[in-house]
Amino acid sequence: MTCSTLPSSAQVSSTVSIKEASIDSGGDRYRVTLTNPVYIKDGRVLLPIRELGQHASLRTFWNATNQTVSLYGAEHTIQLTIGSQTAIVDGKTVTLDVPAQIINGATYLPLKFIASALKQTVSWDSTNRIITLSSLYVMGMDHNLTYWINRDTKHVYQAISQKRGNLIGKVNIDLYYSTDFEVKKLSESSAYIKAIEAVGVNNRIRTTERFIAAKNTIIKQSILSIVGDFKDTSIDTSNGDYVLTNGKQTDFVTPTGQQTASYHWAAPLNPAYNYLVEHAEAPFLIVREYETQHLIVYNRETNKPVYLHEVLNLPAKEKQFLIQAAADRFAYPSEDSIITFVKNDNGTLSFRYTFASDHSTHTYTYKLD
């Protein structure tokens, strides 16, 4: 681990406040401007507990009665006491150069010590006032549940309440730029998790991994990779089930991982494309053919798909536009002129479409068979 020499003024004065500083996590991954001042005391950089926890992927807990700070990571725990020169790292007592302290009402922690305890690297660019902190984990949480994904190994760790992580499995997604992911608590020890990574020019290459973690393991997961200017419009839930898809197959599963329905899109549709379920109810699905952006009504009882641009009473010019745009969506990236689902009224489905010719918006209906 490296830490550059601090300015001489910082070494002479006992405490120096730097009001404007940035933190660069993972080199070229992302950079943010810190909302609170950075303090330098006796040549050591101090960061506020909340921001340190956020950028080092740590759950942080403050005990005002005992004046103690507890930090929990995927594989490490750290406990410090305000003003104390000792701390407990993974159950062992260690000595600090500079203790945790309260400055202007906020709790500050020694950055280099925390990074060393986590076995991460940190450096301080005193000229540009930039802290570079390695970012090995991505963290997500909901209430007392915390999850971490290791960027390198893709291992997933879970913690319940104030504990460090427990290895529960592995995912497939590469998280290089992502700073967090979505966690929805399902029970005291289970959650639905969605991680998204977007790369390339205008973030046109997007990968989404959805999985359910329960019983200290990953019981169901899927990964969807799409390329284009349109969003991943897949729904996450439907009538209590969770919707997992890889674009070629969509599974409906209960919070405990039991599969209630599965749709394989290669047989009824074009196997070259990815399919996103945008709405689900009995007896139909609203499905988006991602690469073309055509919208489909899929009858769940008859397994019959209907391409809406073929059956709605659209003007011939607009139908031709949709066909032409579908053939080359790279040339027509706008989300304005695509068919979108509005509602179901006793089997009569309503759809909205904005004309490419004059940008006027119209509503059309389709009666389920």
Side-chain angles (χ1 to χ4, degrees), residues 314 318 321-322 337-339 352-356 360-362:
L314 297 169
E318 296 300 328
F321 168 80
L322 287 172
S337 295
I338 61 175
I339 300 173
R352 183 178 295 113
Y353 176 70
T354 300
F355 283 5
S360 60
T361 300
H362 305 263

Side-chain angles (χ1 to χ4, degrees), residues 148-358:
W148 294 267
I149 298 176
N150 186 300
R151 296 182 191 272
D152 295 336
T153 66
K154 304 181 185 179
H155 285 146
V156 180
Y157 299 80
Q158 177 195 57
I160 303 173
S161 191
Q162 298 187 33
K163 295 180 180 178
R164 75 177 186 181
N166 175 47
L167 179 62
I168 64 169
K170 188 176 182 179
V171 291
N172 296 305
I173 190 170
D174 289 312
L175 295 177
Y176 187 79
Y177 292 98
S178 296
T179 59
D180 58 9
F181 50 83
E182 177 185 336
V183 175
K184 178 178 175 55
K185 181 178 177 180
L186 302 179
S187 71
E188 288 304 308
S189 60
S190 66
Y192 165 81
I193 299 157
K194 181 167 70 173
I196 301 173
E197 180 80 334
V199 299
V201 178
N202 297 325
N203 292 327
R204 298 185 76 250
I205 304 172
R206 292 184 301 284
T207 304
T208 304
E209 177 134 4
R210 297 169 170 90
F211 61 96
I212 296 175
K215 300 178 181 179
N216 294 317
T217 188
I218 296 175
I219 58 175
K220 190 74 174 179
Q221 63 181 302
S222 66
I223 187 167
L224 170 68
S225 296
I226 53 179
V227 179
D229 295 290
F230 294 90
K231 300 175 184 177
D232 171 3
T233 53
S234 301
I235 57 174
D236 295 321
T237 61
S238 172
N239 196 31
D241 287 341
Y242 284 84
V243 184
L244 307 180
T245 184
N246 62 8
K248 309 298 183 184
Q249 175 179 330
T250 300
D251 297 327
F252 290 71
V253 299
T254 66
T256 58
Q258 180 181 359
Q259 185 169 292
T260 60
S262 183
Y263 300 91
H264 299 259
W265 302 116
L269 300 171
N270 189 326
Y273 297 140
N274 288 295
Y275 295 90
L276 315 179
V277 174
E278 297 187 344
H279 182 82
E281 60 178 288
F284 69 96
L285 302 175
I286 300 297
V287 180
R288 178 80 61 187
E289 192 172 72
Y290 181 80
E291 284 77 5
T292 68
Q293 286 296 294
H294 283 323
L295 200 63
I296 301 164
V297 173
Y298 182 81
N299 191 314
R300 303 169 83 170
E301 295 178 345
T302 64
N303 295 325
K304 178 184 176 182
V306 174
Y307 281 80
L308 284 163
H309 71 282
E310 296 177 351
V311 298
L312 296 184
N313 190 28
L314 297 169
K317 186 175 182 180
E318 296 300 328
K319 286 188 178 182
Q320 184 59 38
F321 168 80
L322 287 172
I323 294 171
Q324 180 180 349
D328 186 8
R329 272 294 172 184
F330 288 108
Y332 300 93
S334 174
E335 295 185 10
D336 294 335
S337 295
I338 61 175
I339 300 173
T340 56
F341 174 70
V342 179
K343 65 178 180 178
N344 171 26
D345 185 8
N346 295 321
T348 298
L349 310 185
S350 298
F351 299 89
R352 183 178 295 113
Y353 176 70
T354 300
F355 283 5
S357 57
D358 61 9

Side-chain angles (χ1 to χ4, degrees), residues 27-47:
D28 60 352
R29 286 179 181 146
Y30 66 97
R31 179 175 296 176
V32 296
T33 300
L34 298 173
T35 57
N36 292 296
V38 170
Y39 283 91
I40 299 176
K41 183 176 179 63
D42 299 332
R44 298 301 184 190
V45 176
L46 300 170
L47 282 186

